[in-house]
Amino acid sequence: MARSISKVAPGWWDYTTLDPRLLADAAKLTAEDLLKLSRDGFEVTVYDTLEEFYCAEALEYVRTWQEATADNPVGICGPIGPTEQLPLVARIVNALNVDLKHAHFWGMDEWIENGKPVSMEHPLSFAKADMELCFNRIRPELRMPGENIHFPVDLESYSRSFDSVRCRIMQGGQGEVKHWAFNDPPKREGDWQHQPLPPGAYLQLKSRITELHPMTIIQNARTSGGGYVPQVPLQAATVGPVETWKSDCVSIWHPGHHDNAFGIRLTALMISKRLSDTSVPMSLLADHPHVKFSYYRGGIGTVEAQMH
């Protein structure tokens, strides 16, 4: 059966090219249905309040860092989006006097302009957000050493660091194009005009510079720049599937405003049913041994026609 052409970007693969029956099944899911999608290796949790949601997300950082010792360095790979947990991380670390000298952190991605990662002077810099919202708020005597904070600048060194330090959790959100980090769907080109790149080939991708799907550019302008599209770069450096599979757990957080009500249903359904398709990169996590989806109940919404 021939795959549909994308409704939003004809030169790309994305979720609009999937079987309409699968899309319809996802649209019907209720909040209670989402909980029933849990299976061995895939855990779905729903939080009733935003306070509890972001507190639980922040505690993933702290609990991870509390495991780190001189003989067993441990870290977390974290996102920009959601970011509301980051000040909470700093506050908890300070309150509990958590010494971070053996802990590690990986920034998940960064914008690329003119072939290089943007500096912290760029208004959308992810490294800048991590430092200002979290690390600079931690008391100096508790902070992790600068060499333990890994941003995707030198990508070879960045990738190798996942072999020398245990990444206990890779934490992230979900974009409208159904990515984690900037693992966007592939372009519709070359050998992949009629079918998207096979999952096995996608999973071989390491940390890299990647071109961004138009939907990703629009989303980031909306969520981070007041809709100012010209400010958003067209490329980004991103952690890849190779490094993701070196992480003990992939933990995805859905507050309800990064992706929409339909999208946060579709990926859970595909992971639960082990339906891997590179037009929905998040679905490839179906083959990861430990994936968690956490939802804010008030952000789950419904998939129905509403005129605004």
Side-chain angles (χ1 to χ4, degrees), residues 83-298:
T83 59
E84 287 84 350
Q85 79 280 9
L86 293 176
L88 300 178
V89 172
R91 184 172 289 273
I92 294 169
V93 166
N94 288 336
L96 299 182
N97 294 305
V98 181
D99 189 340
L100 301 182
K101 64 175 172 287
H102 302 303
H104 284 250
F105 172 80
W106 291 269
M108 187 171 274
D109 35 35
E110 186 57 279
W111 299 109
I112 297 290
E113 287 187 331
N114 301 316
K116 298 179 180 179
V118 299
S119 74
M120 290 194 191
E121 302 304 312
H122 194 286
L124 296 181
S125 166
F126 295 153
K128 173 184 178 182
D130 280 318
M131 299 307 295
E132 292 185 352
L133 293 175
C134 183
F135 294 103
N136 291 348
R137 301 185 185 203
I138 295 172
R139 299 204 315 271
E141 68 272 20
L142 299 176
R143 291 177 192 165
M144 65 180 63
E147 61 267 24
N148 290 12
I149 300 177
H150 311 278
F151 291 125
V153 178
D154 178 343
L155 291 178
E156 284 299 320
S157 175
Y158 175 83
S159 182
R160 286 195 304 271
S161 66
F162 283 86
D163 295 320
S164 57
V165 178
R166 173 183 163 223
C167 182
R168 180 178 178 270
I169 288 180
M170 182 172 289
Q171 185 190 92
Q174 175 174 306
E176 288 184 16
V177 80
K178 323 306 174 219
H179 63 201
W180 84 99
F182 278 126
N183 291 295
D184 278 13
K187 278 190 166 182
R188 193 167 191 147
E189 61 184 7
D191 293 336
W192 315 116
Q193 294 278 357
H194 306 293
Q195 292 291 330
L197 182 74
Y202 197 107
L203 292 180
Q204 299 305 309
L205 297 174
K206 298 174 64 177
S207 299
R208 65 204 185 281
I209 294 175
T210 185
E211 189 171 350
L212 301 175
H213 192 285
M215 200 180 303
T216 295
I217 295 168
I218 295 294
Q219 180 206 337
N220 278 273
R222 174 179 63 83
T223 58
S224 302
Y228 184 32
V229 174
Q231 181 176 238
V232 181
L234 302 179
Q235 293 183 314
T238 185
V239 71
V242 167
E243 294 78 23
T244 302
W245 259 252
K246 292 177 182 177
S247 305
D248 295 351
C249 173
V250 181
S251 180
I252 305 298
W253 293 76
H254 299 289
H257 55 260
H258 290 281
D259 198 6
N260 51 48
F262 172 75
I264 62 178
R265 288 163 164 78
L266 175 65
T267 52
L269 178 63
M270 294 183 74
I271 292 173
S272 178
K273 303 301 181 184
R274 301 183 188 274
L275 302 174
S276 296
D277 192 296
T278 58
S279 70
V280 180
M282 189 72 77
S283 73
L284 303 184
L285 296 177
D287 295 322
H288 192 283
H290 188 190
V291 177
K292 299 195 302 181
F293 269 24
S294 297
Y295 293 89
Y296 164 49
R297 187 178 296 276

Side-chain angles (χ1 to χ4, degrees), residues 10-137:
W12 293 76
W13 292 99
D14 56 56
Y15 70 94
T16 67
T17 70
L18 289 173
D19 186 332
R21 293 170 294 184
L22 173 59
L23 301 178
D25 287 344
K28 297 174 186 174
L29 294 173
T30 65
E32 288 67 33
D33 292 333
L34 287 173
L35 286 168
K36 295 175 184 176
L37 294 177
S38 292
R39 58 163 172 78
D40 287 345
F42 180 49
E43 175 186 349
V44 178
T45 301
V46 176
Y47 294 93
D48 290 328
T49 70
L50 269 179
E51 291 83 359
E52 185 182 17
F53 177 90
Y54 287 124
C55 182
E57 187 176 12
L59 285 171
E60 284 193 340
Y61 279 70
V62 180
R63 287 172 176 158
T64 293
W65 290 338
Q66 285 177 318
E67 293 184 17
T69 65
D71 296 330
N72 180 35
V74 180
I76 185 169
C77 182
I80 295 298
T83 59
E84 287 84 350
Q85 79 280 9
L86 293 176
L88 300 178
V89 172
R91 184 172 289 273
I92 294 169
V93 166
N94 288 336
L96 299 182
N97 294 305
V98 181
D99 189 340
L100 301 182
K101 64 175 172 287
H102 302 303
H104 284 250
F105 172 80
W106 291 269
M108 187 171 274
D109 35 35
E110 186 57 279
W111 299 109
I112 297 290
E113 287 187 331
N114 301 316
K116 298 179 180 179
V118 299
S119 74
M120 290 194 191
E121 302 304 312
H122 194 286
L124 296 181
S125 166
F126 295 153
K128 173 184 178 182
D130 280 318
M131 299 307 295
E132 292 185 352
L133 293 175
C134 183
F135 294 103
N136 291 348
R137 301 185 185 203

